């Protein structure tokens, strides 16, 4: 996500374990899952957003809860980015984690 204005937020992130239906392995900084803020009545999501997750340690393991930074490209995602907002992380249709906004950080350039 270079050379663009980004919206950056501080988030509490939890990855689901494999037994909970999550991934088979942890994630490294730079991970870009689908971010889903709402589902329709059938339990499917119509829209997802790509956001890059960054953090200072080597890996976040399954089942761990960590404070991370997520950067989004501005667009329609802003209406969801309020402190306390919770949402879900997906790889395609697979639910792999959940997140909650702790703090919005000033917009950054590339």
């Amino acid at each position: 996500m270079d050379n663009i204005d980004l919206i950056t937020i501080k988030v509490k992130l939890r990855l689901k374990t494999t037994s909970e239906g999550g991934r088979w392995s942890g994630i490294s900084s730079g991970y870009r899952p689908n971010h889903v803020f709402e589902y329709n009545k059938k339990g499917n999501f119509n829209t997802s957003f790509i956001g890059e997750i960054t953090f200072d340690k080597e890996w976040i393991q399954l089942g761990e809860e960590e404070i991370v930074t997520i950067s989004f490209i501005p667009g329609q995602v802003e209406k969801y980015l309020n402190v306390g907002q919770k949402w879900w992380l997906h790889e395609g249709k697979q639910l792999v984690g959940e997140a909650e906004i702790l703090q919005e950080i000033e917009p950054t350039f590339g």
Side-chain angles (χ1 to χ4, degrees), residues 1 5 18 30 45-46 49 51 69 84 93 95 106:
M1 293 189 177
D5 289 319
T18 304
F45 58 89
N46 295 325
F49 301 93
T69 300
K93 292 187 177 194
L95 177 60
E106 293 298 317

Side-chain angles (χ1 to χ4, degrees), residues 1-41:
M1 293 189 177
D2 295 329
N3 299 322
I4 338 174
D5 289 319
L6 300 174
I7 299 170
T8 304
I9 55 176
K10 187 171 285 194
V11 170
K12 178 172 57 175
L13 170 82
R14 182 184 178 279
L15 294 178
K16 294 173 82 58
T17 64
T18 304
S19 64
E20 295 172 312
R23 296 170 49 89
W24 289 95
S25 64
I27 63 169
S28 60
S29 189
Y31 177 58
R32 294 181 181 177
N34 297 313
H35 298 262
V36 177
F37 291 89
E38 56 189 1
Y39 295 92
N40 64 26
K41 292 179 181 178

Side-chain angles (χ1 to χ4, degrees), residues 59-70:
W59 290 93
I60 295 177
Q61 298 301 327
L62 304 178
E64 285 187 338
E65 187 173 279
E66 293 287 337
I67 306 302
V68 300
T69 300
I70 302 179

Side-chain angles (χ1 to χ4, degrees), residues 11 30 35 41 47 52 56 60 72 91 99:
V11 170
H35 298 262
K41 292 179 181 178
T47 304
E52 182 174 48
D56 292 331
I60 295 177
F72 292 99
E91 290 181 2

